[in-house]
Amino acid sequence: MTTLQPVRGTHDLLPLEHRKHSYIIDAARKVAASYGFLEMATPLLEFKEVFKRTLGDVSDIVTKEMYEIVKRGDEEIVLRPEGTAGIARAVMSNGLTQSMPLKFFYEGPMFRYERPQKGRLRQLHQIGAELFGVSDSMGDVEVIALAFDILKVLGLSQHVTLEINTLGDDESRKLYRDHLVAYLKDHHASLSPDSQQRLDRNPLRILDTKDEGDKKILNGAPLLTESLNAFSQEMFLKIQEGLNALKIPFQLNPHLVRGLDYYCHIAFEFTTTELGSQGTVLAGGRYDGLMTTMGGPSIPGVGWAGGIDRLALMLSEDALPPFIRPIAIIPMDEAFDIKGLELAQALRGQGHVVEMTYGGNLGKRLKKANKMNAHYAFILGEAEVASHTVTLKDLDTGEQTQLPREQIGEWLKDKGIS
RNA sequence: GCGGGUGUAGCUCAAUUGGUUAGAGCGCCAGUUUGUGGUACUGGAGGUCGUGGGUUCGAUUCCCAUCACUCGCCCCA
């Protein structure tokens, strides 16, 4: 019985759902191309090391959420939990580090062993964009603008809020980290158990807490902006300037922190209130240290990933392009099936969407044509075949005419489909 | 991984203090209609009441376990 269920946290994408996914991917792909981002794909399988080194040894993704699928000797192979590290690995593997900048768009499934919830799956689907080799803040602006444009095209920009923050460069972040830890240690006893743990592992994450008691303590905490050096400050301001110039609305959220180790400077999240606690729909930041962490040259980078599954939850059915209603081919009975097939092929060759009806008498086949939401039924019976004509029926109005085969194209053109 | 809720037909939901043959709407199939669909009417199929165990003369109903979904936490897209 259980073998008939999908694996926990995985999901069949039935046509209706799949349509949303491909709509999102197509839209994103198109917008990304207009920014000069080239699509690429990396394997679903990577060596564990790729993520262990980059995401940070203590991040949840590495410590408990990775699917390890094969072990051969010392090889530890995992299903990729996210996209950026794999793309960065590919840049190095393929010796692409010589010519910068590089702009990549990608799409595909990621795997994380988490407790499933609405909008949180073990096989999740992401779109993503990465820009390598640009340390200028204009790169950050463009990358965010790309994300915003995609959300706009999807009709979701009104339903999300862009929040940004800066983590500063290494120097600033380390300084702040010390200040914060010093402050929080004084309040250690009153912190929530979760935050007490985070104090050792990832203290910046405490800023993001949902615990009310923690929030009160944080009100008196030192601010990251106070620890920013001049360079980091200027970088952040320039990005805001750029966003303003492009009329991309945003909110400053000094408590916004990214979970993965490789982030620095800008951190941004597009969030929605429509999906419960899984509110983050697209998020990213700058990761200047990523390449060196992987043992490569020092190449800056900035990028984001968006959750297709979450975006799909926000898309309403009627936001999608309408289905093309098919033409149904109706041979009156089996004797004319072959004639029907030939007609269907000819029409498909001209670019029409054509469905064959199988079996049954005229009434039954019309019923099926109706069920498949066909706009027109092309009927072929004894009389039609003998006179080399087809009976063309409009299933919405019920009108029908019998025309010579050669005039079908004309007739379809009159109906506005060609 | 932690805490709460839910699980009856393909879908949305009923089923009285535990009681014999588990119902409805929608959908599906067929007929009324052998060269005309949609509407209408008539009929039909479809359930091991998530799964396993326990209590009981008897369990969809009570108890335990388990699985899945779901809400919140953790984490993240």
Side-chain angles (χ1 to χ4, degrees):
Chain A
M1 205 54 168
T2 54
T3 54
L4 291 181
Q5 295 177 329
V7 170
R8 186 175 197 197
T10 67
H11 220 286
D12 297 309
L13 291 177
L14 300 178
L16 226 51
E17 188 73 20
H18 192 272
R19 196 155 148 265
K20 288 186 176 177
H21 277 232
S22 27
Y23 177 64
I24 291 165
I25 293 166
D26 288 348
R29 178 179 284 143
K30 218 166 143 190
V31 178
S34 77
Y35 278 74
F37 281 70
L38 303 177
E39 184 162 2
M40 68 174 288
T42 61
L44 272 54
L45 303 177
E46 294 278 359
F47 290 116
K48 187 175 186 178
E49 203 55 24
V50 170
F51 304 105
K52 213 156 112 185
R53 298 246 290 264
T54 55
L55 303 185
D57 280 335
V58 293
S59 75
D60 274 32
I61 287 187
V62 167
T63 53
K64 58 183 196 195
E65 291 181 4
M66 288 224 276
Y67 276 93
E68 287 189 44
I69 63 151
V70 182
K71 269 202 177 185
R72 291 201 175 157
D74 294 335
E75 286 188 356
E76 290 185 299
I77 294 174
V78 299
L79 287 169
R80 63 181 187 191
E82 60 103 45
T84 305
I87 300 271
R89 192 231 80 225
V91 166
M92 298 203 294
S93 306
N94 294 282
L96 306 178
T97 54
Q98 299 296 313
S99 148
M100 291 291 152
L102 295 169
K103 299 153 100 174
F104 295 123
F105 170 77
Y106 66 89
E107 153 275 317
M110 310 295 164
F111 304 85
R112 292 177 198 173
Y113 194 85
E114 298 183 274
R115 178 107 173 223
Q117 252 175 260
K118 183 176 173 189
R120 193 175 74 183
L121 304 165
R122 288 185 171 179
Q123 176 177 336
L124 57 134
H125 301 88
Q126 291 188 329
I127 49 175
E130 316 289 355
L131 167 62
F132 292 96
V134 176
S135 51
D136 193 285
S137 57
M138 290 306 101
D140 304 61
V141 174
E142 279 213 301
V143 159
I144 295 173
L146 167 59
F148 185 72
D149 269 0
I150 290 170
L151 293 169
K152 210 156 66 180
V153 167
L154 294 174
L156 298 177
S157 56
Q158 299 298 315
H159 301 261
V160 298
T161 307
L162 170 60
E163 299 179 28
I164 66 171
N165 190 25
T166 183
L167 306 172
D169 58 10
D170 281 359
E171 184 189 78
S172 307
R173 201 165 58 257
K174 268 173 199 148
L175 182 66
Y176 176 63
R177 191 185 160 115
D178 291 345
H179 287 169
L180 183 67
V181 170
Y183 170 81
L184 291 174
K185 280 221 166 117
D186 290 342
H187 298 79
H188 186 273
S190 12
L191 283 173
S192 68
D194 279 331
S195 288
Q196 287 179 0
Q197 275 189 12
R198 285 186 283 221
L199 194 50
D200 296 326
R201 280 191 307 143
N202 195 348
L204 293 193
R205 270 245 143 240
I206 297 176
L207 296 174
D208 215 8
T209 186
K210 287 176 189 168
D211 185 275
E212 288 303 321
D214 289 353
K215 283 183 181 171
K216 271 188 195 137
I217 295 172
L218 285 171
N219 282 337
L223 292 173
L224 196 144
T225 42
E226 293 161 1
S227 301
L228 289 180
N229 57 25
F231 173 75
S232 298
Q233 249 173 45
E234 199 193 322
M235 177 103 179
F236 194 39
L237 285 175
K238 273 184 154 174
I239 292 170
Q240 295 177 51
E241 230 172 84
L243 292 175
N244 283 328
L246 297 183
K247 297 194 170 46
I248 298 171
F250 63 89
Q251 289 175 9
L252 293 178
N253 177 359
H255 290 168
L256 173 62
V257 183
R258 310 264 64 222
L260 309 181
D261 265 14
Y262 53 59
Y263 285 109
C264 61
H265 292 291
I266 187 82
F268 58 92
E269 278 187 11
F270 289 88
T271 59
T272 178
T273 52
E274 295 171 20
L275 298 180
S277 64
Q278 264 61 53
T280 304
V281 123
L282 187 154
R286 179 164 275 280
Y287 44 82
D288 290 346
L290 174 63
M291 282 292 199
T292 45
T293 317
M294 297 184 81
S298 171
I299 293 173
V302 54
W304 51 258
I308 299 174
D309 312 276
R310 289 182 185 178
L311 291 167
L313 286 172
M314 297 180 72
L315 270 190
S316 76
E317 206 63 49
D318 39 72
L320 300 174
F323 272 114
I324 297 173
R325 297 175 68 189
I327 295 166
I329 301 298
I330 302 190
M332 205 74 85
D333 63 61
E334 285 162 27
F336 309 104
D337 276 351
I338 295 292
K339 292 283 179 201
L341 275 184
E342 287 168 358
L343 178 58
Q345 284 304 82
L347 288 167
R348 286 170 185 146
Q350 290 161 25
H352 296 294
V353 177
V354 182
E355 291 241 38
M356 182 71 179
T357 57
Y358 313 102
N361 57 25
L362 177 59
K364 216 168 256 182
R365 294 199 198 210
L366 272 170
K367 200 174 262 190
K368 283 195 182 130
N370 211 59
K371 205 151 284 170
M372 57 182 67
N373 194 28
H375 198 167
Y376 304 106
F378 287 8
I379 302 167
L380 282 170
E382 203 172 345
E384 286 84 357
V385 170
S387 58
H388 201 63
T389 60
V390 179
T391 295
L392 312 173
K393 184 182 181 74
D394 184 323
L395 290 171
D396 287 351
T397 64
E399 287 168 25
Q400 65 181 51
T401 52
Q402 194 173 344
L403 285 182
R405 297 280 284 258
E406 306 77 55
Q407 290 177 30
I408 292 177
E410 195 78 10
W411 185 83
L412 283 171
K413 210 171 276 174
D414 285 351
K415 294 287 182 185
I417 51 175
S418 53

